[in-house]
C-alpha cells in the first residue's frame, strides 16, 4: 500500500498520521514523504496506528528520521503504535531506543516481553 500522511500542525510540532506499509518497496517513498513535511524549527510527531506492516527497511527509515530530527535539536515522537510496530519493537528490542510511551491493553500485556515505556490502558 502506497504511503500517505495526513498533516496537522501546532505551534511547536508537525503531526503526521501515517497510513500504509512501512516496508522495503516503500521505504524511500516514506523517507521522502516524511522529510517533505519536516520543519527543522518544529518537533515531529508520527501517528503509526494505520501502519499495517513494517520490516527492517521501515525500521531503518524510522531510525534515520530520529537521528535527522535530533540533529536539529528537535524531537521525533512516535504515537499510537500499531500491532505490527509493537511486535517488531518487541522482537528487536527497540522500545527503549525510541523512548516513546506504548499503550497496551490489559489483554495485550502478556504478548510482549518489554515493560519499559508501557502505558497501561
Amino acid at each position: 500500500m502506497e504511503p500517505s500522511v495526513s498533516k496537522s500542525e501546532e505551534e511547536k510540532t508537525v503531526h503526521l498520521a501515517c497510513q500504509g506499509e512501512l516496508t522495503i518497496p516503500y521505504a524511500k517513498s516514506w523517507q521522502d514523504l516524511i522529510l517533505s513535511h519536516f520543519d527543522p524549527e518544529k518537533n515531529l510527531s508520527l501517528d503509526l496506528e494505520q501502519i499495517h506492516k513494517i520490516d527492517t527497511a521501515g525500521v531503518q527509515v524510522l531510525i534515520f528520521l530520529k537521528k535527522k530530527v535530533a540533529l536539529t535539536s528537535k524531537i521525533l515522537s512516535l504515537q499510537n503504535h500499531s500491532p505490527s510496530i509493537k511486535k517488531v519493537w518487541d522482537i528487536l528490542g527497540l522500545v527503549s531506543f525510541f523512548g516513546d510511551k506504548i499503550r497496551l491493553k490489559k489483554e495485550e500485556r502478556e504478548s510482549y516481553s518489554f515493560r519499559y515505556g508501557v502505558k497501561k490502558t
Side-chain angles (χ1 to χ4, degrees):
M1 176 187 245
E2 286 290 326
S4 67
V5 297
S6 298
K7 180 181 177 181
S8 62
E9 289 190 55
E10 293 178 10
E11 184 179 335
K12 297 181 179 182
T13 306
V14 173
H15 300 279
L16 299 177
C18 302
Q19 185 173 4
E21 296 178 4
L22 195 42
T23 56
I24 195 163
Y26 306 109
K28 179 71 169 130
S29 297
W30 272 114
Q31 182 175 309
D32 294 344
L33 179 61
I34 293 170
L35 287 177
S36 73
H37 294 287
F38 175 56
D39 178 344
E41 300 298 317
K42 296 184 178 187
N43 294 320
L44 181 61
S45 171
L46 302 181
D47 183 323
L48 302 176
E49 186 173 25
Q50 296 300 314
I51 298 296
H52 303 291
K53 277 176 100 175
I54 185 170
D55 62 13
T56 55
V59 171
Q60 289 174 4
V61 168
L62 293 175
I63 290 170
F64 166 79
L65 292 169
K66 180 175 177 67
K67 291 182 177 193
K68 176 87 171 169
V69 171
L71 288 173
T72 65
S73 299
K74 298 299 176 190
I75 297 168
L76 170 68
S77 64
L78 307 178
Q79 302 173 344
N80 300 322
H81 301 72
S82 69
S84 60
I85 300 270
K86 292 176 198 173
K87 183 177 179 181
V88 169
W89 269 210
D90 190 33
I91 291 168
L92 298 178
L94 292 172
V95 174
S96 62
F97 174 79
F98 282 101
D100 299 294
K101 294 283 185 194
I102 295 182
R103 288 183 166 75
L104 292 180
K105 296 176 185 162
K106 192 174 190 176
E107 60 273 11
E108 288 181 301
R109 291 186 201 141
E110 296 295 321
S111 301
Y112 300 102
S113 63
F114 60 82
R115 298 294 173 253
Y116 173 88
V118 174
K119 183 174 184 179
K120 297 176 183 176
T121 59

